[in-house]
Amino acid sequence: MEIQPVPEAGDSQVAIRNIERELICPACKELYTHPLILPCQHSICHKCVKELLFMTLEDSTDVSSEASTPGSPRVRIQSPSIERIDRLLRSAILLTDQIVIFVGSKRNSLTPRITSLSCPGCLRDVDLGERGINGLFRNLTLETIVERYRQAARAATAIMCDFCKPPVQESTKSCIDCSASFCNECFKVNHPWGTIKAQHEYGPPTATFRPKVLMCPEHETEKVNMYCEICRRPVCHLCKLAGAHANHRVTTMSNAYKTLKEKLTKGISYLISKESQVKTQITELEVLIRRTETNGDRAVEEATYNFDKLFNILEEKKAFVLQSIKSSQSSRLDKLQSQLDEYQGLLENNGLVGYAQEVLKETDHSCFVQTAKQLHTRIQKASESLKTFHPAADSSFEDYFVDVSKEENLLNDLSFSKALDVPEINMDESKVYNSAKICWNHPNDSGLADSYILEYRKLDKNEDPSWNEIEAASTSKIIPDLDLNSSYCFRVQSLKGSMCSSHSKEVILQTPPAPVFSFLFDDKCGFNKERLMLNNQKNIVESVAGHPLLLGAERVQVGCYMCLDYIIGDAGITKGRHFWAFSVESYSYMVKVGVASDIKLQEWLHNPRDISSPRYDQDSGHDSGSEDVAFDSSQPFTLATIGMRKFFIPKASNISTTCGERVLPLPSRIGICLDYEKGIVGFYDANTMRCLYEREVDCIGTMYPAFALMGGGAVSLEEVFTAKHLDYSNEI
């Protein structure tokens, strides 16, 4: 097997380095070392498989260790590092209920061994079978790629000759058969001309040697030459004849190589073709990252501002309450201190009593009376106060208690406001024509948003992939001036303050193939007022049989056909391409839609018709094979049939078709596109702008939108097409 040369060009080395994520083992998160292919087709290092089995085995044997026979031999496996075990624990699922043969023991040994493990790549349980690790293939291709990567990373690091005597020379080639590297001289010495060794296969220097032939792990002496399509793994002829793959579907290795290579090539080509799309999505992700950072910082600022506002309010309230308490305390202390001083004056040799005792020593009557009168009044008041003692101030501050229990509960419940619901675009109400009317609503009819951002972009590889944004105050928005026959992608998000919801699911809508043609129903040309009813806006016509049909019931005989009631639009087309849309009520029995020529319509109205014949009506609704496609050129109408919630494609007289091929489900909105110059009328599903049916039409004179109804039914023109046009022809 030829060794691929190490890439020497700078671009190749960069390409090798860029695939590093594919060369990392999912278990140890390091570059693969001797990778093995698990049955689930994921690769894992040889040492990691051992460690995963070790973890599972230890868990299984520890459960029953107390019940095991004392002194029974146990094989000691070197314990992996703590970090490695910690990594493996996150990816391995420990199983304790599977008992198989232990490595190195006899086939009938009861010593447990676990050979089932959880693949770190897909987290699925995989069974390695009775042979365990020995039954796994080495992923030689991955091993070679890892070695290329290592060599590209080492760049200038040389591989030295394994046979040189000091000083050792740099190797120039590696022998696959010898699994060794040689300089030129040593290679000649060890591979002398004319010997078997001279026939050895060699290649550029490498430190990784892979076998020339892939051998079967089940039958070690057999080469793998077939591929099992059921197990998706290479097998040998013994595996197919009498092994586990005896009843499996196999193919030759060359066929498997060709098939898988084609699939891989197509897959790579597809990914390369989608490079611009991936770049666009990367740009979107980068925008989302920047927006997330901005919105997160803004949310932090707002939360900080709100909490600071609460802190300021609390500080103000705290200062006010403390000042009130201090003021009240000071006032009360002053009053109580004054009362205390007054009462202390009542004591002997203190204050009032002492002063009175000194006054009693006065012997002059006039002077005594002059002083004693006022002193007696004071003593009398003091005596009265002793009889009814009341403190001058209350020592309790109960009326100054601040109850914060309610506020405490509010603060404990303080959390983020309710997250904004993601809006959903309403496909039934959203319509795209020359302009787009996009409608959306909230789940559960919640209306938390203050405004919305509607984003749209044209799906064209030549267009700017960035989104156009329009702000909307309500749950709908009109986007004008869209390109015709183009696909647009729409999405919307809610805004409330500085918060914004996630984007809605993206919706793709198609614009019509031609400009929108606006008209109303015309009640001046052949309009049957007895069986057709128009609303005041003239954008809805309804077919009602009514009393006139019942009054004439005696004229209705078996086998007679009822005639269609026609109505046309009040505006005509003389050039260009035009598109209009409408809806047909689901209960309608028969409705025909299409176009009519004014010149042929005049002839058709003025020429007498054989009304006794059931075929006098050009479109009776019955498939004779001659109508609709092979129609009479004198007929003014070119119509397609709708009825009983179905759209019926006319039958061509020269083509044999089944009924199922001609009957389509009725779209909720139907579109008609008339190309006057090319003489083609097309019928469309106006929701997806998918063409249901096209046919040629003889465009003579002015062409009008035409409708015909029979039995119960109704046609409603689209809202965007109801602008009144008064320029209908006066000749009809």
Side-chain angles (χ1 to χ4, degrees):
M1 189 173 295
E2 184 180 357
I3 299 178
Q4 297 295 329
V6 178
E8 298 178 355
D11 294 341
S12 300
Q13 293 184 1
V14 171
I16 286 290
R17 293 190 184 97
N18 289 339
I19 65 172
E20 180 177 356
R21 68 177 64 188
E22 302 295 333
L23 310 181
I24 300 297
C25 174
C28 63
K29 307 304 180 186
E30 299 172 357
L31 289 176
Y32 284 106
T33 303
H34 303 301
L36 302 178
I37 302 177
L38 296 177
C40 61
Q41 301 304 305
H42 289 100
S43 296
I44 185 173
C45 295
H46 183 270
K47 62 181 184 303
C48 293
V49 177
K50 284 186 175 181
E51 290 171 359
L52 284 172
L53 292 175
F54 169 81
M55 298 294 301
T56 309
L57 176 61
E58 284 295 303
D59 181 73
S60 176
T61 54
D62 287 347
V63 171
S64 58
S65 60
E66 295 182 0
S68 62
T69 304
S72 60
R74 291 186 59 184
V75 175
R76 305 301 299 173
I77 303 177
Q78 184 178 0
S79 176
S81 64
I82 298 299
E83 292 84 357
R84 184 66 55 80
I85 291 177
D86 193 38
R87 286 196 298 266
L88 296 174
L89 276 173
R90 290 194 292 268
S91 60
I93 299 176
L94 303 181
L95 304 174
T96 60
D97 56 348
Q98 302 181 26
I99 305 299
V100 294
I101 310 302
F102 190 80
V103 177
S105 64
K106 295 182 179 179
R107 186 166 293 274
N108 295 326
S109 173
L110 296 179
T111 308
R113 179 172 71 98
I114 303 298
T115 59
S116 288
L117 52 84
S118 177
C119 171
C122 61
L123 300 182
R124 289 164 47 191
D125 290 339
V126 293
D127 188 0
L128 304 184
E130 183 176 343
R131 291 177 56 84
I133 298 177
N134 296 330
L136 299 178
F137 279 106
R138 280 176 62 186
N139 194 335
L140 298 175
T141 302
L142 178 58
E143 195 171 328
T144 302
I145 296 174
V146 170
E147 179 60 23
R148 288 185 201 163
Y149 175 81
R150 285 197 172 100
Q151 292 187 26
R154 290 193 295 264
T157 302
I159 298 176
M160 309 307 292
C161 177
D162 295 327
F163 292 86
C164 275
K165 296 180 180 180
V168 179
Q169 300 296 318
E170 183 178 343
S171 64
T172 59
K173 53 179 67 70
S174 293
C175 178
I176 299 175
D177 296 275
C178 299
S179 298
S181 298
F182 300 87
C183 64
N184 286 333
E185 295 301 324
C186 292
F187 185 81
K188 293 178 181 178
V189 172
N190 287 273
H191 298 78
W193 182 260
T195 64
I196 297 179
K197 285 189 174 183
Q199 306 300 320
H200 284 189
E201 186 176 348
Y202 62 91
T206 181
T208 301
F209 297 93
R210 48 192 274 180
K212 297 177 63 176
V213 179
L214 195 62
M215 307 302 290
C216 177
E218 297 287 337
H219 310 92
E220 298 176 355
T221 60
E222 298 294 332
K223 302 176 183 179
V224 293
N225 53 7
M226 290 181 286
Y227 182 79
C228 178
E229 296 179 349
I230 305 298
C231 302
R232 297 184 300 174
R233 61 175 294 173
V235 296
C236 68
H237 71 283
L238 292 180
C239 293
K240 174 59 180 173
L241 290 176
H245 307 271
N247 298 321
H248 291 183
R249 184 174 66 253
V250 298
T251 184
T252 62
M253 192 61 70
S254 59
N255 288 339
Y257 169 81
K258 182 179 178 181
T259 301
L260 292 176
K261 189 170 185 178
E262 288 179 355
K263 290 182 178 179
L264 185 59
T265 303
K266 289 181 180 179
I268 294 173
S269 301
Y270 175 79
L271 292 178
I272 294 175
S273 67
K274 295 295 181 180
E275 183 175 358
S276 60
Q277 179 180 343
V278 174
K279 290 181 178 179
T280 300
Q281 294 171 350
I282 289 174
T283 302
E284 290 183 22
L285 290 174
E286 291 174 346
V287 171
L288 288 177
I289 289 174
R290 292 194 296 270
R291 186 176 296 175
T292 302
E293 291 175 348
T294 303
N295 291 340
D297 294 340
R298 188 184 304 166
V300 169
E301 292 176 1
E302 289 200 356
T304 303
Y305 170 77
N306 290 329
F307 276 101
D308 289 342
K309 186 164 63 175
L310 290 178
F311 294 153
N312 293 335
I313 294 174
L314 288 175
E315 289 292 339
E316 292 176 2
K317 291 293 183 182
K318 177 183 177 181
F320 172 77
V321 170
L322 295 181
Q323 181 61 35
S324 299
I325 294 175
K326 291 288 185 182
S327 299
S328 178
Q329 181 187 40
S330 178
S331 174
R332 295 184 189 190
L333 288 175
D334 289 343
K335 292 179 181 180
L336 290 174
Q337 188 63 44
S338 298
Q339 189 177 21
L340 175 62
D341 293 342
E342 183 179 353
Y343 273 69
Q344 285 180 343
L346 300 180
L347 299 177
E348 186 177 0
N349 299 324
N350 288 318
L352 182 60
V353 174
Y355 174 67
Q357 289 176 345
E358 293 298 325
V359 170
L360 288 174
K361 296 178 181 180
E362 178 62 50
T363 57
D364 184 273
H365 290 182
S366 299
C367 293
F368 178 80
V369 170
Q370 181 184 15
T371 305
K373 179 61 177 174
Q374 188 268 344
L375 183 59
H376 178 265
T377 301
R378 291 179 62 192
I379 291 177
Q380 193 173 16
K381 288 182 179 180
S383 300
E384 290 295 331
S385 67
L386 291 175
K387 295 178 182 178
T388 57
F389 174 73
H390 292 289
D394 188 4
S395 63
S396 173
F397 279 80
E398 292 181 354
D399 52 337
Y400 283 87
F401 174 71
V402 179
D403 185 9
V404 295
S405 58
K406 181 179 179 181
E407 289 76 11
E408 184 179 4
N409 291 333
L410 290 175
L411 289 175
N412 287 332
D413 294 337
L414 184 64
S415 61
F416 296 109
S417 60
K418 183 178 179 181
L420 291 176
D421 290 330
V422 179
E424 298 175 353
I425 295 180
N426 190 325
M427 292 293 292
D428 294 331
E429 297 182 7
S430 298
K431 304 171 184 177
V432 175
Y433 299 105
N434 294 358
S435 301
K437 180 182 179 183
I438 307 300
C439 304
W440 58 88
N441 46 42
H442 285 280
N444 304 321
D445 297 327
S446 59
L448 296 175
D450 296 333
S451 60
Y452 305 89
I453 294 294
L454 176 62
E455 299 181 356
Y456 70 97
R457 64 173 178 171
K458 184 178 178 181
L459 299 181
D460 189 338
K461 62 181 180 180
N462 297 324
E463 293 289 329
D464 185 0
S466 59
W467 293 86
N468 301 301
E469 295 185 356
I470 297 180
E471 188 170 357
S474 61
T475 56
S476 65
K477 191 67 178 179
I478 302 294
I479 303 176
D481 303 327
L482 298 181
D483 294 337
L484 295 175
N485 200 23
S486 301
S487 295
Y488 284 85
C489 186
F490 300 89
R491 67 184 185 185
V492 66
Q493 64 178 157
S494 304
L495 299 178
K496 186 175 180 64
S498 62
M499 295 188 301
C500 59
S501 71
S502 301
H503 287 100
S504 67
K505 183 179 179 181
E506 295 180 4
V507 170
I508 298 177
L509 298 175
Q510 178 82 14
T511 55
V516 172
F517 180 68
S518 298
F519 65 91
L520 296 173
F521 288 117
D522 187 5
D523 58 355
K524 296 179 174 59
C525 175
F527 177 68
N528 190 328
K529 297 182 179 180
E530 293 183 350
R531 293 192 295 269
L532 294 181
M533 295 178 58
L534 280 176
N535 64 343
N536 294 333
Q537 290 77 25
K538 296 186 178 181
N539 63 341
I540 299 177
V541 62
E542 186 176 3
S543 173
V544 181
H547 289 160
L549 179 62
L550 297 178
L551 292 174
E554 62 274 8
R555 297 194 303 271
V556 178
Q557 303 296 328
V558 176
C560 287
Y561 287 70
M562 296 176 62
C563 65
L564 290 163
D565 296 305
Y566 292 90
I567 187 169
I568 63 174
D570 64 356
I573 299 171
T574 57
K575 62 180 180 179
R577 299 178 73 230
H578 300 274
F579 180 89
W580 60 93
F582 52 89
S583 60
V584 176
E585 295 296 334
S586 58
Y587 65 82
S588 301
Y589 173 68
M590 178 186 288
V591 176
K592 284 183 171 285
V593 296
V595 293
S597 167
D598 64 335
I599 296 177
K600 292 186 177 182
L601 188 60
Q602 292 182 58
E603 298 175 356
W604 187 72
L605 291 174
H606 291 92
N607 292 338
R609 292 167 289 168
D610 182 9
I611 61 174
S612 63
S613 170
R615 298 297 301 159
Y616 87 92
D617 190 357
Q618 173 260 335
D619 270 328
S620 63
H622 293 264
D623 294 319
S624 63
S626 61
E627 64 178 12
D628 285 332
V629 175
F631 59 93
D632 184 356
S633 60
S634 65
Q635 296 293 338
F637 298 103
T638 303
L639 306 171
T641 304
I642 296 170
M644 301 179 68
R645 302 181 182 179
K646 303 292 182 182
F647 181 89
F648 296 87
I649 297 177
K651 180 180 179 181
S653 58
N654 58 342
I655 299 177
S656 176
T657 57
T658 62
C659 179
E661 295 175 348
R662 299 178 51 222
V663 180
L664 302 177
L666 178 64
S668 59
R669 296 197 296 268
I670 302 168
I672 294 180
C673 180
L674 175 64
D675 190 327
Y676 191 93
E677 280 74 19
K678 291 184 177 180
I680 295 177
V681 60
F683 301 85
Y684 288 77
D685 179 345
N687 296 314
T688 62
M689 296 301 168
R690 180 174 64 92
C691 184
L692 304 176
Y693 169 64
E694 261 187 0
R695 63 183 292 177
E696 294 182 355
V697 59
D698 189 9
C699 293
I700 300 176
T702 302
M703 303 297 293
Y704 289 87
F707 303 84
L709 297 88
M710 186 175 76
V715 177
S716 302
L717 300 180
E718 282 292 294
E719 180 182 357
V720 293
F721 309 123
T722 58
K724 180 64 178 174
H725 283 252
L726 301 177
D727 57 348
Y728 50 82
S729 176
N730 294 322
E731 299 177 358
I732 300 180

